[in-house]
């Protein structure tokens, strides 16, 4: 029996949220698909969040401590879309950093416990969701005051992440581009050129992957009218199923496993 560690560097959608519990999020869909196709393989899924491109470097450092076989870098369009404000964790007060780190560690710990005690996962998920919502209501106004990164700044952070990961022997990088946006959104402050910004991020992700010779997973058209939760950028459980199975097919067809 072979055991393979895969680390996802991404946002909250890798963990689940109201309507999509952790076991229904696409990293766990991927795990089940790979283990079903290759019964001799056990996939150890680890999630390391980054909520702003400047945080990718810290996430890479944490990811490499697990000695992964694969690191999937999630490149998402939302980070460059909503208006002109954004999170820049490198410029936030130290008190915010400590709160953010506590949230990150709670996410990791609760995910670990849910995996070890399946019957407790729904309870943990409910508690986790309420806790994050409460924290977001307090920190959200503070976050909005900090400037959003440009696509080129995002490019530099992703490129640096790839370079650091490939220096780790035996570790393969996979870049996942963003899916096309939910065109039914009507959020206050949503940029008028949101689709163009999403596409710019998608092109950037593809170009960086090509530049470094790393695998790229195209998710732009992996959406449909029922893919998103109503009034949200978040995929439904069915959307996560589609993304997880897409990634599994791509990894298997590229002989990653």
């Amino acid at each position: 029996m072979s055991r393979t560690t895969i680390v996802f560097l991404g946002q909250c959608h890798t963990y689940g949220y109201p309507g999509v519990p952790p076991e229904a999020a696409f990293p766990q869909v991927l795990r089940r698909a790979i283990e079903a196709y290759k019964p001799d393989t056990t996939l150890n899924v680890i999630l390391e969040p980054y909520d702003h491109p400047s945080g990718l470097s810290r996430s890479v450092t944490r990811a490499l401590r697990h000695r992964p076989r694969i690191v999937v870098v999630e490149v998402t369009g939302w980070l460059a879309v909503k208006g002109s404000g954004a999170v820049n964790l490198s410029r936030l007060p130290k008190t915010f950093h400590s709160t953010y780190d506590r949230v990150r560690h709670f996410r990791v710990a609760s995910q670990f416990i849910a995996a070890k005690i399946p019957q407790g996962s729904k309870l943990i998920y409910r508690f986790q969701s309420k806790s994050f919502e409460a924290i977001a209501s307090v920190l959200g106004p503070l976050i909005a005051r900090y400037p959003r990164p440009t696509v080129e700044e995002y490019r530099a952070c992703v490129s640096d992440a790839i370079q650091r990961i490939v220096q780790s022997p035996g570790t393969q990088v996979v870049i996942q581009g963003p899916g096309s946006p939910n065109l039914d959104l009507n959020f206050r402050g949503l940029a008028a050129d949101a689709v163009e910004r999403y596409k710019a991020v998608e092109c950037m992700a593809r170009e960086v992957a090509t530049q470094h010779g790393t695998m790229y997973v195209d998710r732009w058209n992996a959406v449909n009218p029922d893919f998103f939760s109503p009034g949200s950028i978040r995929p439904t459980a069915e959307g996560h199923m589609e993304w997880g199975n897409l990634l599994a097919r791509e990894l298997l067809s590229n002989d990653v496993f």
Side-chain angles (χ1 to χ4, degrees), residues 42 158-159 187 216 223 228:
T42 297
V158 174
S159 181
F187 288 167
Y216 180 76
V223 297
F228 297 101

Side-chain angles (χ1 to χ4, degrees), residues 71-252:
V71 177
V72 179
V73 180
E74 293 278 296
V75 179
T76 58
W78 185 248
L79 292 179
V81 170
K82 192 174 182 296
S84 60
V87 186
N88 186 339
L89 294 179
S90 66
R91 294 171 56 187
L92 291 176
K94 291 182 179 180
T95 53
F96 180 94
H97 274 290
S98 61
T99 303
Y100 169 77
D101 286 338
R102 286 196 294 272
V103 172
R104 179 180 63 80
H105 284 295
F106 177 73
R107 281 176 169 174
V108 174
S110 60
Q111 186 79 14
F112 175 80
I113 294 171
K116 295 295 182 181
I117 313 175
Q119 64 269 26
S121 61
K122 291 184 179 179
L123 175 62
I124 293 171
Y125 164 65
R126 289 196 296 270
F127 177 59
Q128 185 185 56
S129 298
K130 290 183 181 298
S131 298
F132 292 158
E133 289 169 3
I135 292 170
S137 69
V138 174
L139 300 182
L142 173 63
I143 289 173
R145 294 201 299 266
Y146 290 82
R148 186 164 297 278
T150 64
V151 172
E152 289 308 307
E153 289 170 337
Y154 201 172
R155 180 195 301 271
C157 292
V158 174
S159 181
D160 177 69
I162 294 173
Q163 292 180 61
R164 291 186 56 202
I165 295 167
V166 298
Q167 290 174 1
S168 179
T171 302
Q172 181 167 346
V173 185
V174 177
I175 302 296
Q176 287 207 126
S180 57
N182 183 359
L183 299 179
D184 293 331
L185 287 180
N186 189 26
F187 288 167
R188 182 180 179 182
L190 185 65
D193 60 346
V195 176
E196 289 79 3
R197 294 193 192 188
Y198 256 81
K199 192 61 181 177
V201 173
E202 191 273 338
C203 291
M204 175 274 289
R206 187 186 298 274
E207 290 169 0
V208 171
T210 300
Q211 174 188 350
H212 292 280
T214 59
M215 179 178 165
Y216 180 76
V217 178
D218 184 354
R219 299 189 293 186
W220 186 258
N221 293 315
V223 297
N224 57 59
D226 300 321
F227 183 86
F228 297 101
S229 300
S232 172
I233 63 169
R234 294 170 168 176
T236 61
E238 291 74 18
H240 278 270
M241 182 71 70
E242 186 169 346
W243 270 1
N245 286 323
L246 169 64
L247 181 55
R249 290 194 300 270
E250 291 292 316
L251 293 178
L252 289 169

